[in-house]
């Protein structure tokens, strides 16, 4: 007999799917007559994070409308615990594509995909084997390397009131995991390549949706002499950016262009084109070209990651610093520089 907790989770999943227009045996809602239906499972932090989830949904939604696909987001207050029930319910409700943004769902998605062989599944930030699963991965370490080059040079910039004499830059991660540390190690490697003596202030918030905690952590960092903090923590990062503005320092945003959130205080943003990935995924699904069973990778070469245009800070960055960032980008694209990928190579000795 199933426990009351399991039943409650199942009921919660059904209610959430119904709220999103996903009811088993019925159409997708919204008045659409499309026979192609796609669902996007929103990751921790939810919609409104101004980062990972929002950018992915933007691409997903636009592509669905452009390609005659009925698309719906699926959210939950506990997407980790309820994920499997939500995905199973959507798969049983005639959804032909279920794209999952929550990396912790990797193990369960492989099992669910086997039970629904006629449904196409996709997962971001993880690799799942299966003939009907498309794995979407990003070379976040490449974009983070460029941010590290920029931060490593800017922390020593002269005549800039937002930096100080301490040769130290920071990083705030949502959780301690290889997925987050993929950003961190790339950032550290880039900074060390141009500033071998730079030191790092590294903290984890254990949350992707707690802006107050992000602000508290960043306040402590800036007060201790750190002058540039890279945040990879979803909605928690909003607090880091607010702290940068309040204390007169720099933050580095992530996933989407967050530069305008605090104009002049977000040095740059490491953009991760989840919108492009979701757009391509939905487009291929709508045209019937999505086959599954492959891993699609987006890096600098594919324009899948990179730095923002720095519209509000570029005038504060010396020309020689910008030139070194551009040179690093060219070296990575050409293969001259291979950025360390902690998810494949483990941790380098210098980071242990």
């Amino acid at each position: 007999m199933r426990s009351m907790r399991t039943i409650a989770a199942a009921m919660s999943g059904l209610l959430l799917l119904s709220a999103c227009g996903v009811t088993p045996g019925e159409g997708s809602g919204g008045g659409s007559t499309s026979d192609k239906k796609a669902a996007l499972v929103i990751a921790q932090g939810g919609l409104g994070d101004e980062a990972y989830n929002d950018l992915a949904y933007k691409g997903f939604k636009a592509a669905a409308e452009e390609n005659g696909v009925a698309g719906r987001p699926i959210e939950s207050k506990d997407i980790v615990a309820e994920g499997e029930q939500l995905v199973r319910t959507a798969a049983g409700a005639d959804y032909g594509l279920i794209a999952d943004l929550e990396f912790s769902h990797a193990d369960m998605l492989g099992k669910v995909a086997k039970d629904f062989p006629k449904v196409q599944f996709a997962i971001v930030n993880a690799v799942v084997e299966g003939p009907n699963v498309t794995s979407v991965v990003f070379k976040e370490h490449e974009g983070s390397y460029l941010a590290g080059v920029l931060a490593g040079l800017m922390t020593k910039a002269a005549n800039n009131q937002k930096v100080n004499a301490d040769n130290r830059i920071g990083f705030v991660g949502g959780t301690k995991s290889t997925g987050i540390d993929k950003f961190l190690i790339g950032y550290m490697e880039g900074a060390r390549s141009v500033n071998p003596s730079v030191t790092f202030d590294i903290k984890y918030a254990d949350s992707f949706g707690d802006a107050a905690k992000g602000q508290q952590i960043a306040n402590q960092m800036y007060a201790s002499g750190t002058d540039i903090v890279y945040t990879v923590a979803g909605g928690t990062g909003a607090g880091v950016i607010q702290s940068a503005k309040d204390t007169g320092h720099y933050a580095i945003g992530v996933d989407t262009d967050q530069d305008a959130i605090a104009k002049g205080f977000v040095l740059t943003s490491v953009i991760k084109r989840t919108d492009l990935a979701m757009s391509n995924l939905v487009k291929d699904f709508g045209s019937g070209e999505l086959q599954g069973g492959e891993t699609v990778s987006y890096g600098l070469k594919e324009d899948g990651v990179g730095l923002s245009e720095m519209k509000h800070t570029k005038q504060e960055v010396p020309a020689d610093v910008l030139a070194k960032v551009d040179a690093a980008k060219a070296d990575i694209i050409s293969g001259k520089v291979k950025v360390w990928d902690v998810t494949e190579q483990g941790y380098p000795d210098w980071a242990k």
Side-chain angles (χ1 to χ4, degrees):
M1 180 178 294
R2 293 188 297 174
S3 68
M4 289 301 294
R5 182 178 180 182
T6 302
I7 294 172
M11 290 302 295
S12 175
L14 289 170
L15 288 171
L16 281 162
L17 285 168
S18 179
C20 291
V22 185
T23 304
E26 296 183 2
S28 64
S32 174
T33 58
S34 174
D35 59 353
K36 286 186 177 291
K37 297 164 56 179
L40 181 68
V41 179
I42 304 302
Q44 298 176 64
L47 291 175
D49 64 356
E50 297 184 302
Y52 175 65
N53 287 312
D54 282 358
L55 187 61
Y57 182 54
K58 179 181 178 181
F60 174 88
K61 183 180 180 182
E65 293 172 353
E66 293 170 4
N67 293 278
V69 174
R72 295 289 190 221
I74 297 176
E75 290 191 271
S76 168
K77 291 182 179 179
D78 192 353
I79 195 62
V80 175
E82 295 186 344
E84 181 169 352
Q85 183 60 45
L86 289 168
V87 171
R88 286 188 180 277
T89 302
D94 299 325
Y95 273 68
L97 169 65
I98 300 172
D100 199 328
L101 299 176
E102 177 53 52
F103 75 94
S104 70
H105 288 174
D107 288 342
M108 76 82 175
L109 196 73
K111 295 184 295 183
V112 175
K114 289 181 181 179
D115 295 339
F116 294 91
K118 294 184 179 180
V119 177
Q120 287 290 330
F121 295 86
I123 189 163
V124 182
N125 296 332
V127 176
V128 174
E129 301 294 336
N132 58 332
V133 180
T134 299
S135 300
V136 179
V137 295
F138 289 85
K139 297 179 181 179
E140 301 99 337
H141 51 305
E142 293 185 348
S144 297
Y145 184 98
L146 300 185
V149 170
L150 179 62
L153 293 170
M154 284 298 292
T155 192
K156 300 189 300 179
N159 303 318
N160 187 321
Q161 294 182 350
K162 295 171 188 174
V163 299
N164 54 49
D166 294 339
N167 190 22
R168 181 165 65 252
I169 58 178
F171 177 90
V172 176
T175 58
K176 171 65 177 175
S177 64
T178 54
I180 297 299
D181 285 352
K182 186 177 184 181
F183 293 81
L184 170 62
I185 298 303
Y187 176 62
M188 294 175 71
E189 186 177 13
R192 284 162 49 91
S193 72
V194 294
N195 183 354
S197 61
V198 69
T199 59
F200 301 91
D201 190 355
I202 302 165
K203 298 287 191 302
Y204 298 92
D206 296 323
S207 172
F208 289 91
D210 191 340
K213 189 170 185 180
Q215 185 170 4
Q216 179 184 27
I217 292 171
N219 283 343
Q220 294 170 350
M221 286 182 162
Y222 292 129
S224 69
T226 299
D227 49 25
I228 302 172
V229 178
Y230 180 22
T231 173
V232 184
T236 300
V240 175
I241 292 173
Q242 184 62 48
S243 176
K245 181 179 181 180
D246 291 347
T247 62
H249 294 97
Y250 285 124
I252 294 177
V254 75
D255 291 334
T256 188
D257 187 343
Q258 297 184 315
D259 295 9
I261 295 177
K263 295 179 181 179
F265 298 95
V266 180
L267 177 59
T268 189
S269 296
V270 178
I271 297 176
K272 176 178 173 180
R273 295 291 307 280
T274 50
D275 59 333
L276 175 64
M278 292 302 100
S279 178
N280 289 340
L281 190 71
V282 173
K283 180 180 178 180
D284 288 347
F285 169 67
S287 66
E289 297 178 7
L290 185 63
Q291 299 299 316
E294 66 174 345
T295 297
V296 182
S297 180
Y298 291 89
L300 283 175
K301 187 175 182 179
E302 296 78 21
D303 197 29
V305 299
L307 299 185
S308 64
E309 296 180 10
M310 296 186 280
K311 293 179 181 178
H312 310 290
T313 56
K314 200 166 189 176
Q315 71 279 4
E316 300 173 13
V317 182
D320 63 323
V321 172
L322 293 172
K324 288 178 181 178
V325 173
D326 288 341
K329 179 179 179 179
D331 286 345
I332 293 170
I333 291 174
S334 71
K336 181 178 179 180
V337 171
K338 295 186 182 300
V339 184
W340 192 280
D341 183 352
V342 70
T343 61
E344 295 182 356
Q345 300 172 269
Y347 289 82
D349 290 339
W350 51 262
K352 292 179 180 177

